[in-house]
Amino acid sequence: MYEPITIKDIAKALGLSTSTVSRALRGSYEISAETKKLVVEYAEQFNYRPNPIALSLKERRSRSIAVVVCEIANNYFSQAINGIESVAYNRGYHVIISQSHESYEREIVNVEHLASRSVDGLLVSLSAETNQFDHYKNLHEKGFPIVFFDRITDEIETHKVVADNYQGAYNVTKHLINAGYKKIAHLTSAAHLSISIERLEGYKAALRDNKIPFNDKYVKNCNHGGMIYNEQEDAIKSLLNLKDKPDAIFSGGDKLTVSCLAVLNELKVKVPDEVALAGFSNSPLVELMKPGLTVVKQPAFEMGQTATELLIKLIESKRPVTEFEKIVLQTEVFERESSAKKKPKKK
Amino acid sequence: MYEPITIKDIAKALGLSTSTVSRALRGSYEISAETKKLVVEYAEQFNYRPNPIALSLKERRSRSIAVVVCEIANNYFSQAINGIESVAYNRGYHVIISQSHESYEREIVNVEHLASRSVDGLLVSLSAETNQFDHYKNLHEKGFPIVFFDRITDEIETHKVVADNYQGAYNVTKHLINAGYKKIAHLTSAAHLSISIERLEGYKAALRDNKIPFNDKYVKNCNHGGMIYNEQEDAIKSLLNLKDKPDAIFSGGDKLTVSCLAVLNELKVKVPDEVALAGFSNSPLVELMKPGLTVVKQPAFEMGQTATELLIKLIESKRPVTEFEKIVLQTEVFERESSAKKKPKKK
DNA sequence: TTGTAAGCGTTATCAT
DNA sequence: ATGATAACGCTTACAA
């Protein structure tokens, strides 16, 4: 129904061979000026565009890369994608975005489709459900270019780009401690994710350095990234219902911080008077949401850029790469002035 | 470097012809059970995947559709994309997302690339800069399936899906009026965009129905969707610097509402005491940001779904379609209780 | 039941 | 300077 013009059409119309037309179009020198002009003008007039599919088939590359993330409705990821696009665009690559919605199965389906040769490389941040990497291993062993960012795995040896989650978590927790909080809960993503592990370690270290005992009842995981009924809400409620109720919550992750605010608001819990809040977030709004909210911001855009540069390097390298980099970018902590004063309760 | 297995490889290994292998793989009946078993098992073992590029070339379709939006870091669009994906996934289509970043040129580049046959159809929400549609016209005239949503144009006759921007704007404005505000400014997107026009009309109508004179000094456009330096900030400042300062702002669009909050906060302007705020937004946070904030929410997910259904209908229709639908979905207004009481100033 | 060959759009190689 | 041909991976008449 929609029949675009091809080289063959041009050749027929002009009484030339397809190869001549092809050469004229790509500006080959071994062609007479007049034939070239003829062809180019005809192509122009009929708005000829080379068929990228045919090109991909021929060149065995698509000049496109795919990003696999859990959700684009997450400030961290949408910012990372902007970084990815900025580099890809400059290097002549198209970017295909696909969402796993935190589902292992969906992640597999997407990766299968994309990797089976419609993209030249993969930029992956693992879904919350994923704890099995055979699929990536297969691809990687065959030499298919993959770069992990943010939620990575140690089981695959390739380039990786992460934020310094340990330090970020350490810093927020310390800020809460400095502000006078002692019963600090930690609401985080699935326990096995790299980001969860690193953040938990940072949190524990900050407690330890300040002689605050670690209480594992204070750690709640949202294993499905909040994709399942009211996972976050339940987690928060169960924290608030503890006999020894926490006086602060450190939330790991943009979406968790956002839901935390939403749920606490809905429950009419005063922040920070009843429970203080601090956490990872890249939301442009979070900073100004509540006075007293300390926020760790990930260098999302830069992470996207860096990961893309590494991926393209991988794609364009002639021989198999054996040396892989792991790049750790620093997070930034924004402490709101007012968070320093905790209302003296039993002092 | 990464050499996936092909039908040809299987044929050679098994001493069969490629056509036999192809048939066995797609479960054709005209094949002996044992050959089939042999082929299927071999394919399984070596993890054969058909090359989607070759398939596209053959079938002259890619089973993928593209979405062209200005920004995915916009709650309305990320939600709409989720709606798009949900339908596409069920119908066996892949979704390619591309961002124009409100640039006409970038929009053109994306559309050119995508439409030149790597996708079967286009879902478009126009960039703020776009006021020239020849490019879409060309595609559309050739029968290339396009569905516009949200930011549409009358110049192209095809399916369209929009929110009832007029009514939404009317309702928010009326809510502000009912809450006692009389000097209501309107901060909105580029003047020529369909959404801007409709929202302006709704705003004007609400003023008119309540005998409030329209003041064009109170209308500010952000022509670049805030992609350019501090466009929004300048607009807001100039509103606040008017001799007859507005007592409320109605912001059109998710991103504008978000920046409005951010900028007012930064300028230390009290909301709603100094200036009340109400506007379009799909942010999960906006509702709880400030007491007294009335929000119009667009049915983003449903719009995405509807647009995708229409697009797939277009793609899969045998003959040229001549009857086009324009579907208008209702917005929802969330009024916060506290917004009803305006502090009595000179009463 | 299986194989042969053509074709999808393009480019590279080898003639001419 | 130009043309014929093969190849990229796959499906599908058409033959056998």
Side-chain angles (χ1 to χ4, degrees), chain A residues 146-193:
Chain A
I146 304 181
V147 171
F148 288 96
F149 72 102
D150 186 51
R151 299 158 166 210
I152 64 173
T153 171
D154 281 337
E155 300 204 23
I156 293 162
E157 264 228 46
T158 180
H159 294 318
K160 286 157 199 167
V161 180
V162 293
D164 192 342
N165 291 298
Y166 175 91
Q167 195 59 48
Y170 185 95
N171 290 345
V172 209
T173 310
K174 197 162 150 235
H175 273 126
L176 284 171
I177 296 172
N178 288 346
Y181 301 98
K182 293 206 151 54
K183 298 185 285 182
I184 303 170
H186 180 32
L187 182 69
T188 187
S189 33
H192 61 90
L193 286 177

Side-chain angles (χ1 to χ4, degrees), chain B residues 104-228:
Chain B
Y104 172 64
E105 193 203 342
R106 193 97 179 234
E107 182 181 298
I108 292 293
V109 171
N110 287 342
V111 169
E112 286 258 327
H113 173 86
L114 296 166
S116 58
R117 284 158 297 181
S118 63
V119 298
D120 300 339
L122 232 40
L123 245 24
V124 179
S125 177
L126 297 165
S127 97
E129 271 183 32
T130 307
N131 54 13
Q132 225 273 20
F133 310 95
D134 284 2
H135 187 257
Y136 292 114
K137 270 187 205 148
N138 288 338
L139 286 173
H140 180 246
E141 277 162 15
K142 285 187 203 143
F144 188 82
I146 304 180
V147 171
F148 288 96
F149 72 102
D150 187 53
R151 299 159 164 208
I152 65 173
T153 171
D154 282 337
E155 300 203 23
I156 292 162
E157 264 228 48
T158 180
H159 294 318
K160 286 159 201 167
V161 180
V162 291
D164 193 341
N165 290 299
Y166 174 91
Q167 195 62 47
Y170 185 96
N171 291 345
V172 211
T173 310
K174 197 161 152 237
H175 274 125
L176 284 171
I177 295 172
N178 289 346
Y181 301 98
K182 294 206 149 56
K183 297 185 284 182
I184 303 170
H186 180 33
L187 182 68
T188 188
S189 34
H192 61 90
L193 286 176
S194 57
I195 52 173
S196 309
I197 295 170
E198 294 162 15
R199 288 169 189 167
L200 181 61
E201 285 311 310
Y203 160 81
K204 281 184 177 172
L207 294 181
R208 194 185 320 117
D209 290 356
N210 290 274
K211 315 264 184 285
I212 298 180
F214 169 72
N215 176 351
D216 64 4
K217 291 213 178 47
Y218 280 175
V219 176
K220 288 282 169 202
N221 294 95
C222 288
N223 293 310
H224 307 276
M227 303 301 294
I228 240 160

Side-chain angles (χ1 to χ4, degrees), chain A residues 17 19-20 23 30-32 35 58 60:
Chain A
S17 76
S19 20
T20 307
R23 277 187 282 243
E30 29 171 15
I31 209 96
S32 78
T35 314
K58 177 121 253 287
R60 298 144 132 285

Side-chain angles (χ1 to χ4, degrees), chain B residues 17 19-20 23 30 32 35 58 60:
Chain B
S17 75
S19 30
T20 308
R23 278 186 281 243
E30 27 167 24
S32 79
T35 314
K58 173 117 258 280
R60 301 147 131 283

